[in-house]
Amino acid sequence: MLKKIITTLLSFSFLLCGNFPVSIFDIEEAKASSYNSLGDRPFMGWSSWSSIRKKPTEQNIKAAADVMAAKFKSHGYQYINLDDYYMLDWTTAVDKYGRWVVDPKKFPNGMKALGDYIHHKGLKFGLYVTLGIPKGAVDQNTPIEGTPYHAKDIVNFSKGQKVNFNFKNMYAIDFSKPGAQEYIDSWAQMFASYGVDYLKIDGVRNQDIQDVEAWAKALKKTGRPIHVELSNNLDIKHASTWKELSNGWRTDHDVEAYGKPTLTNWKKVSRRFDDAAEWHKHAGPGGWNDFDSLNVANGGKDGLTEEEKRSYVSLWAIASSQFVIGNDLTKLDDYGISLLTNDEIIGANQSGAAGKRLYKTAASQVFYQKLPDGSYNIGLFNTGTSSQNVSVKWADLGVEGSAMVHDMWSHQDLGSMDSGFTTELSTHASRMVHVIPTSLSGNRYTPYDVKISSVPAAPDWVMVDRKDQNSVTITWNPIYGAESYTVYRKTINRFGFSSGYTLIAANLTEPNFEDKTATFRAGGSYSYVVTGKNAIGESAKSPKAQTDSQSLMLVAIPMMLFFTVIILLKLFSTIRDKYQLYRTA
């Protein structure tokens, strides 16, 4: 009986206080697009590797964020990704739980401060990790946070070191051993505490699927929506697995021309034509092919002609590759900026349709996207060494009759074409056109239809700040394609019961709102969700954000003590009565 009473008391205390044992919940199978609600469209942003390489600092990452916010955010770019070399040498330097240590000389204020700076710019913060456990952790046999286990308890010494690109000395983990998943969990929680919104996991090979699964589970447990990107040159045979576990995957080796004085070259870029053709069927909402960074805006440093740069961007756009700038953002040229901010080209990249290859010859290729409204985006490329005509026939697209043609780079209508379109292209040049079959109800191109062809993604990283008894400030990350935002609220009473969400603010153009109608009562709290809207429709609701309910404890604890006293008194009374009966007998 006493056991039942204790169990009842514990259950009752959990109900009142809102605390539930984690063990009663089963962790669902990890699938990136479902557990983090990200990857509806290819991500857009900047990565430090191409231009900064091994020398990132707090100063140059902040400088990149400043330029991104000023020049690119309005075109849909969101992420500032710190790609490697932010940590001390993990051969010897690890924290007390065996994880990488941020280099204090490069980042004197730490990663949390850097993440806060980027978020205050209305951008998202990306970071980098490789698989395994550092040698320094193994040598020091550091404890695993929250467990009785240590680094040596989870190492798979038979496999030795993991294959990573810039450092050695990361040992394989045996995930059948207790403490292994918890080690990755602790690292994921640390990244979440920094405010990380994107994580590049490098050095992934077929034999590392179990490692990636561990990271996927760990990131899910943080409760923070973190975009997961896998690198590099992943095996297409496991494409379905990469999509289950991430929001993007590198299809090839680095685009950088290592050992050369330039960032890249045409040979590195052009090998992505076959990647686009082979991988397109695996791309879609939730996860996208990643052709690596775009290096087209640092003048001669890029290593490409202007025509090659335009073809570079056109291929990434028509293939719906992740759209990430690699250039030094503090040294941009006007031509490169024009390539990276052309909203019609960005619209093709964000259309939600990975382009398919229609033709390939020894010297030319044609790719197309079929859009939901029945129109097409078409990329025509001269991959040869001399000028030539490159054509597309409407019949090969399944289009009967004529079609209107619009040049997406110049924003010009080219008129109606009867059976197809032909363009003369110089060496390595390209053309991007939007084609509307005359059979459709409308026959004039409208850039808006291409730029925003779906409802926005759900807003993320919603935060609430209770200013006083009658005011709550709600903030969230801006979402590409959202023209306005709507805020919904529900009331949660002192016992944890709540009403449904009701609309409290609409047509907001900035990613913040002050709720001045909140009236806090003892034990009560509010929960908020946000949606984005455009002409197409309204997004799904964001993850909820709830005001603190510490005052609930002021009510719950006395109530729990009161009921405890009543039950104990009843128990005492029962025991006393039985004892008296015993003595009488």
Side-chain angles (χ1 to χ4, degrees):
M1 181 177 179
L2 184 59
K3 181 178 180 182
K4 289 184 178 180
I5 292 173
I6 293 173
T7 302
T8 302
L9 286 173
L10 287 173
S11 300
F12 190 66
S13 70
F14 289 144
L15 177 63
L16 285 176
C17 301
N19 295 322
F20 297 90
V22 174
S23 60
I24 70 173
F25 297 110
D26 291 329
I27 301 299
E28 297 177 1
E29 288 297 319
K31 183 176 181 181
S33 59
S34 61
Y35 75 72
N36 63 22
S37 301
L38 299 173
D40 182 58
R41 293 292 184 267
F43 87 86
M44 299 176 64
W46 173 82
S47 174
S48 66
W49 180 253
S50 290
S51 59
I52 295 177
R53 302 276 171 92
K54 299 180 180 181
K55 298 180 180 180
T57 64
E58 183 174 308
Q59 182 178 1
N60 58 30
I61 300 301
K62 284 183 175 180
D66 292 343
V67 177
M68 180 65 74
K71 295 183 181 294
F72 296 99
K73 185 173 72 170
S74 62
H75 297 276
Y77 293 85
Q78 294 181 296
Y79 290 85
I80 294 290
N81 296 336
L82 172 48
D83 191 343
D84 208 352
Y85 283 91
Y86 61 87
M87 73 298 285
L88 295 173
D89 183 352
W90 60 64
T91 302
T92 55
V94 292
D95 72 4
K96 64 181 180 180
Y97 295 121
R99 304 164 303 200
W100 292 352
V101 176
V102 176
D103 187 333
K105 291 183 179 179
K106 290 181 176 180
F107 298 92
N109 293 302
M111 289 293 110
K112 176 64 167 61
L114 180 61
D116 288 345
Y117 184 89
I118 291 169
H119 290 146
H120 290 155
K121 293 286 181 178
L123 301 169
K124 297 183 179 183
F125 176 36
L127 209 55
Y128 171 100
V129 74
T130 60
L131 300 175
I133 182 168
K135 183 177 185 296
V138 178
D139 290 345
Q140 298 168 38
N141 200 26
T142 53
I144 295 170
E145 186 176 16
T147 77
Y149 305 107
H150 291 73
K152 289 182 180 179
D153 296 329
I154 66 171
V155 176
N156 188 335
F157 287 104
S158 66
K159 288 188 176 180
Q161 294 184 11
K162 304 292 286 184
V163 176
N164 295 302
F165 295 105
N166 299 319
F167 289 104
K168 297 181 180 179
N169 298 322
M170 291 289 286
Y171 282 92
I173 296 174
D174 184 344
F175 286 99
S176 69
K177 293 183 177 180
Q181 181 64 55
E182 289 82 356
Y183 172 70
I184 301 299
D185 291 348
S186 76
W187 211 339
Q189 289 289 349
M190 184 177 73
F191 286 149
S193 74
Y194 293 162
V196 167
D197 305 294
Y198 165 108
L199 185 64
K200 175 180 174 180
I201 304 177
D202 206 359
V204 177
R205 293 291 180 266
N206 292 348
Q207 60 267 32
D208 300 321
I209 289 174
Q210 195 172 21
D211 295 71
V212 180
E213 287 175 340
W215 271 103
K217 291 174 184 176
L219 292 169
K220 179 179 180 179
K221 291 175 186 176
T222 68
R224 183 176 178 81
I226 298 177
H227 177 111
V228 183
E229 197 78 4
L230 305 180
S231 185
N232 73 24
N233 194 31
L234 272 72
D235 188 346
I236 196 171
K237 294 177 182 177
H238 292 283
S240 60
T241 299
W242 310 138
K243 185 158 188 173
E244 286 289 316
L245 300 174
S246 73
N247 303 111
W249 42 86
R250 281 277 303 282
T251 63
D252 213 320
H253 293 291
D254 290 359
V255 77
E256 290 84 8
Y258 299 118
K260 306 291 183 182
T262 59
L263 294 178
T264 188
N265 55 46
W266 180 249
K267 181 178 179 181
K268 290 279 190 174
V269 171
S270 61
R271 62 185 291 158
R272 267 66 178 179
F273 282 103
D274 285 342
D275 290 345
E278 293 170 2
W279 282 84
H280 79 86
K281 63 183 178 181
H282 301 295
W288 301 90
N289 299 318
D290 185 347
F291 294 173
D292 207 3
S293 58
L294 290 163
N295 299 298
V296 297
N298 282 161
K301 180 69 174 176
D302 297 324
L304 301 165
T305 67
E306 288 193 350
E307 293 286 12
E308 288 170 343
K309 292 180 184 183
R310 180 177 287 189
S311 294
Y312 190 172
V313 177
S314 295
L315 177 61
W316 266 237
I318 199 75
S320 291
S321 165
Q322 311 285 33
F323 221 60
V324 56
I325 304 169
N327 289 110
D328 183 342
L329 296 185
T330 65
K331 298 178 181 179
L332 300 174
D333 63 83
D334 290 341
Y335 180 72
I337 293 173
S338 73
L339 295 178
L340 296 167
T341 58
N342 185 306
D343 287 334
E344 291 186 34
I345 301 301
I346 291 172
N349 177 260
Q350 298 289 297
S351 68
K356 300 179 181 179
R357 185 158 61 189
L358 185 63
Y359 312 126
K360 178 184 179 180
T361 71
S364 68
Q365 300 199 36
V366 175
F367 285 79
Y368 73 97
Q369 297 171 327
K370 185 173 182 179
L371 303 178
D373 63 1
S375 65
Y376 296 83
N377 291 329
I378 300 176
L380 303 98
F381 301 89
N382 176 3
T383 56
T385 57
S386 60
S387 296
Q388 63 173 310
N389 288 336
V390 180
S391 302
V392 57
K393 296 179 181 179
W394 301 155
D396 292 337
L397 293 170
V399 174
E400 297 180 359
S402 61
M404 291 291 296
V405 180
H406 174 89
D407 190 298
M408 298 172 69
W409 278 110
S410 67
H411 315 303
Q412 295 180 344
D413 288 332
L414 304 180
S416 179
M417 309 287 175
D418 290 336
S419 60
F421 174 70
T422 298
T423 181
E424 183 178 1
L425 299 174
S426 59
T427 302
H428 300 167
S430 61
R431 196 86 178 263
M432 285 280 285
V433 294
H434 184 68
V435 174
I436 305 176
T438 306
S439 59
L440 296 181
S441 58
N443 63 356
R444 184 168 180 81
Y445 174 80
T446 53
Y448 181 82
D449 291 338
V450 176
K451 183 180 178 182
I452 302 176
S453 58
S454 65
V455 299
D460 60 8
W461 199 224
V462 181
M463 301 177 66
V464 295
D465 180 18
R466 177 178 166 182
K467 302 179 70 174
D468 52 46
Q469 286 297 317
N470 299 298
S471 180
V472 177
T473 298
I474 307 102
T475 60
W476 56 91
N477 278 339
I479 298 299
Y480 176 71
E483 296 177 346
S484 66
Y485 301 96
T486 303
V487 178
Y488 298 85
R489 183 186 73 190
K490 72 176 178 181
T491 304
I492 303 171
N493 67 21
R494 67 187 66 182
F495 301 106
F497 298 107
S498 64
S499 60
Y501 283 102
T502 59
L503 186 152
I504 61 168
N507 301 317
L508 303 172
T509 57
E510 295 296 325
N512 58 77
F513 174 69
E514 184 176 358
D515 179 10
K516 297 182 179 180
T517 63
T519 302
F520 287 91
R521 299 179 178 88
S525 63
Y526 290 106
S527 176
Y528 298 87
V529 293
V530 183
T531 63
K533 296 183 74 174
N534 60 23
I536 309 299
E538 185 174 12
S539 75
K541 288 182 171 62
S542 70
K544 67 180 180 181
Q546 187 171 324
T547 58
D548 67 85
S549 55
Q550 292 179 349
S551 57
L552 178 61
M553 297 301 293
L554 299 177
V555 177
I557 291 174
M559 288 182 66
M560 186 173 66
L561 291 174
F562 172 77
F563 282 108
T564 301
V565 170
I566 295 297
I567 293 170
L568 289 175
L569 287 174
K570 180 64 176 176
L571 177 61
F572 176 77
S573 177
T574 300
I575 294 172
R576 183 191 61 191
D577 291 343
K578 288 184 177 181
Y579 179 70
Q580 289 177 345
L581 287 172
Y582 171 76
R583 291 195 64 182
T584 301

